[in-house]
Amino acid sequence: MAQQRGSAAQCPSYTDPQNLTGVSEFLLLGLSEDPELQPVLTGLFLSMYLVTVLGNLLIILAVSSDSHLHTPMYFFLSNLSLADIGFTSTTVPKVIVDMQTHSRVIAYAGCLTQMSFFVLFACMDDMLLSVMAYDRFVAICHPLQYRVIMNPRLCGFLVLLCFFISLLDSQLHNLIVLQLTCFGDVDISNFFCDPSQLLHLSCSDTFVNEMVIYFMGAIFGCLPISGILFSYYKIVSSILRVPSSGGKYKAFSTCGSHLAVVCLFYGTGLVGYLSSVVSPSPRKSMVASVMYTVVTPMLNPFIYSLRNRDIQSALCRLHGRIVKSHLLHPFCYM
């Protein structure tokens, strides 16, 4: 039914204000058409999703329960973990349900909702990474003024600023898609509602909308990257002035995990963008999207826990308190 209303042969003019798009649902590109691979992919994505959620929840729990981690760096890290949970929860549960029900349909309203939350959490990740780079810049380049500059009020303000900027970006994307009056096709060449894919499906003139999206991408993408590059330029310059090699290693080790996450986040995002532009195969670009939307949030907790002794110690203390509480109150766990 949706395919008939959104056929490429004609773009009807709808007068019903509640159905201006001409379609009521879209069809997402499945991960595989092979029915024998469906259970394997379902188990794989479910496992990755559970690891992502549990790993990031452990980071949040460790930071909130351990007073040693009540610092600006770990405050931002816990918010990044929360954004990663939301980021992967926007797409993966829908993929798992679709593979279980053998359905690729997503309602128009559901597509807009998924797109809005996807842009919100992706931009939140982007902004938080730039704030964390600024935190490392202040800690290394201005260590004596660190506690004064990165006070709790400023940290809370920066997180709220990241959220409201991300919300603005999300609603601007939503507004642009809502202005599309008809679609020439309903097949989205991805496993989630990608804003760029929805623009390509429109049979109306999208030049202005595309320019607005490119402008927003330049503002919300290039500015955080520029901030990160500038922060690390200052950090490297400051580290090179440290006379001892031990001091250089200690200074750089405080931002090594963040740098690894930044490279992973922007690296997979860049590969996903280039593959969608260069590769004519939707399957190849979808693999890059999986790396960006599923694998990256799953690896972040491992990067921070494996390379960070503070997180490891906090997790050990948390485990010790849980075991001790279980031994003191065994009937509470029965």
Side-chain angles (χ1 to χ4, degrees):
M1 194 67 179
Q3 291 174 328
Q4 293 176 357
R5 290 198 297 269
S7 61
Q10 57 181 354
C11 249
S13 176
Y14 286 87
T15 58
D16 184 2
Q18 296 183 354
N19 192 23
L20 292 176
T21 62
V23 297
S24 60
E25 58 191 25
F26 294 99
L27 297 178
L28 299 172
L29 181 65
L31 292 173
S32 176
E33 299 296 336
D34 189 354
E36 295 182 356
L37 283 178
Q38 297 293 331
V40 177
L41 291 175
T42 301
L44 178 62
F45 271 75
L46 180 60
S47 300
M48 290 192 296
Y49 179 67
L50 292 177
V51 169
T52 301
V53 173
L54 292 177
N56 284 286
L57 281 178
L58 278 176
I59 296 290
I60 296 172
L61 189 58
V63 171
S64 60
S65 63
D66 198 311
S67 59
H68 297 87
L69 301 183
H70 291 174
T71 62
M73 181 177 70
Y74 294 110
F75 172 71
F76 295 134
L77 175 59
S78 61
N79 281 277
L80 180 67
S81 296
L82 185 62
D84 280 338
I85 292 175
F87 186 50
T88 191
S89 297
T90 304
T91 56
V92 177
K94 172 64 177 172
V95 174
I96 296 173
V97 171
D98 287 350
M99 287 189 292
Q100 283 293 99
T101 59
H102 304 286
S103 173
R104 299 188 293 120
V105 176
I106 184 170
Y108 175 74
C111 186
L112 290 182
T113 303
Q114 186 186 61
M115 180 198 68
S116 298
F117 280 106
F118 176 81
V119 175
L120 171 67
F121 290 117
C123 187
M124 191 75 178
D125 271 1
D126 187 23
M127 300 300 296
L128 283 173
L129 287 174
S130 63
V131 169
M132 293 172 74
Y134 173 72
D135 172 73
R136 292 298 83 207
F137 158 72
V138 176
I140 293 175
C141 299
H142 305 281
L144 299 179
Q145 293 83 28
Y146 177 70
R147 292 186 178 274
V148 177
I149 297 175
M150 301 303 296
N151 57 76
R153 181 176 297 181
L154 178 63
C155 294
F157 171 76
L158 289 175
V159 171
L160 286 177
L161 183 64
C162 290
F163 173 75
F164 284 117
I165 291 177
S166 303
L167 184 62
L168 175 63
D169 188 21
S170 171
Q171 293 309 305
L172 286 175
H173 277 83
N174 205 11
L175 181 62
I176 288 173
V177 174
L178 284 172
Q179 290 179 342
L180 302 179
T181 56
C182 63
F183 295 92
D185 197 359
V186 294
D187 290 312
I188 298 176
S189 300
N190 214 327
F191 62 93
F192 64 95
C193 288
D194 189 349
S196 61
Q197 292 287 336
L198 293 176
L199 282 178
H200 292 157
L201 294 180
S202 175
C203 58
S204 57
D205 186 13
T206 61
F207 176 77
V208 176
N209 292 332
E210 289 179 355
M211 290 299 102
V212 172
I213 284 187
Y214 289 144
F215 177 75
M216 289 191 301
I219 296 296
F220 297 115
C222 294
L223 285 182
I225 294 176
S226 301
I228 292 173
L229 293 176
F230 177 78
S231 297
Y232 274 101
Y233 165 74
K234 290 293 186 180
I235 288 172
V236 172
S237 299
S238 179
I239 291 176
L240 291 178
R241 290 195 296 267
V242 176
S244 64
S245 58
K248 292 179 180 178
Y249 175 78
K250 183 178 180 181
F252 186 75
S253 63
T254 61
C255 54
S257 298
H258 174 260
L259 187 59
V261 171
V262 167
C263 293
L264 183 64
F265 180 80
Y266 288 108
T268 54
L270 181 62
V271 170
Y273 173 76
L274 292 177
S275 63
S276 63
V277 173
V278 176
S279 176
S281 173
R283 296 289 178 183
K284 293 182 179 179
S285 60
M286 188 172 62
V287 172
S289 298
V290 170
M291 292 293 297
Y292 177 66
T293 60
V294 183
V295 178
T296 299
M298 181 185 67
L299 293 180
N300 286 351
F302 291 100
I303 294 174
Y304 275 103
S305 60
L306 292 177
R307 293 181 55 88
N308 194 305
R309 293 182 180 179
D310 292 336
I311 293 291
Q312 293 176 3
S313 300
L315 290 174
C316 290
R317 286 192 290 268
L318 177 63
H319 179 262
R321 285 196 295 268
I322 293 175
V323 171
K324 184 178 179 180
S325 178
H326 176 72
L327 293 177
L328 291 176
H329 307 282
F331 294 103
C332 294
Y333 296 89
M334 295 181 63

